[in-house]
Amino acid sequence: MADVLDIRQFRSSTEAALMSLAVAVCYYAAGRLGLMGRLVVEGVVVTPIWPPTGVAVAALLLLGARVWPGIALGSFLVIASLTTPGPTTVVTVVSNTVAPLCAYLLLIRAGFRLDMGRLRDGLSLVFLGGFGAMLISATAGVGLQVAKSSLDKSEFWPVWLAWWVGDTMGVLLVAPLLLVLAGPAGRFRVRRWKEAAFLGLTTLILMPTAVLSPMSMLFLVFPLLIWAALRFQLAGSMLCALFASVLATFEATSERGAFLHLTDVEIMAKLQAFNGSAALTALLLASIITEQRATRRSVRRACQELAEVLEHLAAGEPSPGLPGTAETRAAPPGGHRNP
């Protein structure tokens, strides 16, 4: 018996180690992608969208808290790819690990569902997983820069805001998409494929036009987000929002299109406002639509069951759906059951 327990523990430890390693690889890859869209605010390099936070939160929700070493390892690898690790690296790695862990614990405490089929799930991810938990990494990261005298105290808040928004956007844009892709695939009719292809083609044409236009036509993106949310829920809306945010980020770093002739602070503020609006619109609207559809399906099933019960009653047949039917049949003459 002891040998069996040892084998099970070894398998569990090996499985956890392999999953942590996979999370570290994904975290590092997401970090390298995020660094491609860097901006400079007050002399500090920040990322408007930091995908590793979304990868970390999604990994914790899907695999459990046991994969936290993978988040720490991935964070260390990203930092090591940028600069020589030092004593302060430990603080950054710890904050980058603790923030997703806090998001995971807060979401679990709030009863978060992985399918995000309720509005409360979308609100929990926004306010607990994004806005709330990411305060930890932003405060620790920027506070460390001030403590090292790499950043002046007067520059704390602009850099802190940029850092916090970047981490939050990673959670709001990347985590929902990963959770949807990891869930069971629903049935997709042929006519939905045609509509999806038309939506994708429209998105590929309209979004670059809206973002690249120097007339600042970013508002044209939102009808596409609404269309995707209404017809394809989270999968469609989050893909559109992520594509729009990535496209806008690269245009902002190049100072072209809607971000032409703006200062660094103005570029960051405009980009943060657009990314945040797109993420919230896609996430919350899709959650509302998904919840309403689930409610309609529940009402439809209840009506069908009620119709079956009424048919049995009209035919004079006992219905197994009626409460108390089994007890009535089992009761002896006189109407009382034996204790």
Side-chain angles (χ1 to χ4, degrees):
M1 186 64 179
D3 294 338
V4 174
L5 292 176
D6 290 340
I7 293 174
R8 289 180 178 177
Q9 292 176 355
F10 175 76
R11 288 180 177 176
S12 178
S13 300
T14 304
E15 182 181 358
L18 292 176
M19 287 192 297
S20 297
L21 184 60
V23 170
V25 172
C26 294
Y27 190 103
Y28 176 78
R32 298 305 301 176
L33 289 175
L35 290 171
M36 295 174 64
R38 291 178 287 185
L39 288 174
V40 178
V41 178
E42 302 293 345
V44 178
V45 177
V46 295
T47 53
I49 304 174
W50 187 236
T53 55
V55 172
V57 172
L60 290 169
L61 289 171
L62 293 171
L63 305 175
R66 58 180 176 173
V67 298
W68 72 263
I71 299 173
L73 177 59
S75 176
F76 175 81
L77 292 176
V78 172
I79 296 172
S81 68
L82 297 174
T83 183
T84 303
T88 57
T89 303
V90 177
V91 179
T92 306
V93 170
V94 170
S95 64
N96 289 341
T97 305
V98 171
L101 272 173
C102 288
Y104 165 73
L105 295 175
L106 289 172
L107 290 174
I108 294 299
R109 185 68 180 270
F112 180 81
R113 293 182 183 176
L114 297 181
D115 59 1
M116 298 185 64
R118 303 172 300 174
L119 176 60
R120 60 176 293 184
D121 297 324
L123 293 174
S124 297
L125 186 64
V126 171
F127 291 102
L128 298 179
F131 292 170
M134 295 305 115
L135 293 172
I136 299 173
S137 56
T139 303
V142 182
L144 182 62
Q145 298 292 328
V146 174
K148 291 168 51 182
S149 299
S150 301
L151 188 68
D152 190 76
K153 292 182 180 179
S154 61
E155 300 170 342
F156 176 86
W157 289 113
V159 178
W160 179 90
L161 181 62
W163 193 310
W164 175 68
V165 171
D167 284 353
T168 302
M169 288 301 100
V171 175
L172 301 187
L173 289 171
V174 178
L177 186 58
L178 293 178
L179 293 177
V180 170
L181 294 177
R187 291 177 297 178
F188 214 56
R189 299 177 182 176
V190 175
R191 62 184 180 88
R192 298 296 300 278
W193 279 113
K194 294 179 180 179
E195 184 180 359
F198 183 63
L199 173 61
L201 182 61
T202 306
T203 300
L204 290 176
I205 296 174
L206 186 58
M207 279 194 179
T209 303
V211 175
L212 296 175
S213 173
M215 294 185 294
S216 189
M217 302 174 65
L218 294 175
F219 58 88
L220 293 177
V221 171
F222 291 93
L224 293 176
L225 296 178
I226 296 172
W227 178 10
L230 290 174
R231 299 296 294 164
F232 303 101
Q233 287 79 57
L234 279 170
S237 64
M238 296 315 302
L239 276 174
C240 285
L242 182 60
F243 176 66
S245 297
V246 170
L247 186 61
T249 298
F250 279 104
E251 289 306 307
T253 56
S254 303
E255 298 185 9
R256 298 183 303 177
F259 303 93
L260 188 64
H261 304 309
L262 299 178
T263 64
D264 293 340
V265 176
E266 290 173 343
I267 289 174
M268 194 65 189
K270 186 173 184 177
L271 181 61
Q272 288 172 341
F274 172 74
N275 288 346
S277 300
L280 291 176
T281 300
L283 179 59
L284 297 182
L285 182 59
S287 297
I288 293 174
I289 298 301
T290 303
E291 184 176 29
Q292 289 180 344
R293 290 195 171 191
T295 301
R296 286 199 297 268
R297 286 194 296 267
S298 299
V299 172
R300 191 179 299 112
R301 285 195 299 268
C303 291
Q304 291 174 351
E305 293 175 359
L306 181 59
E308 292 176 359
V309 171
L310 293 176
E311 288 178 1
H312 284 287
L313 291 176
E317 300 175 357
S319 173
L322 284 175
T325 304
E327 289 80 1
T328 304
R329 290 198 300 266
H336 298 284
R337 298 185 62 183
N338 293 327

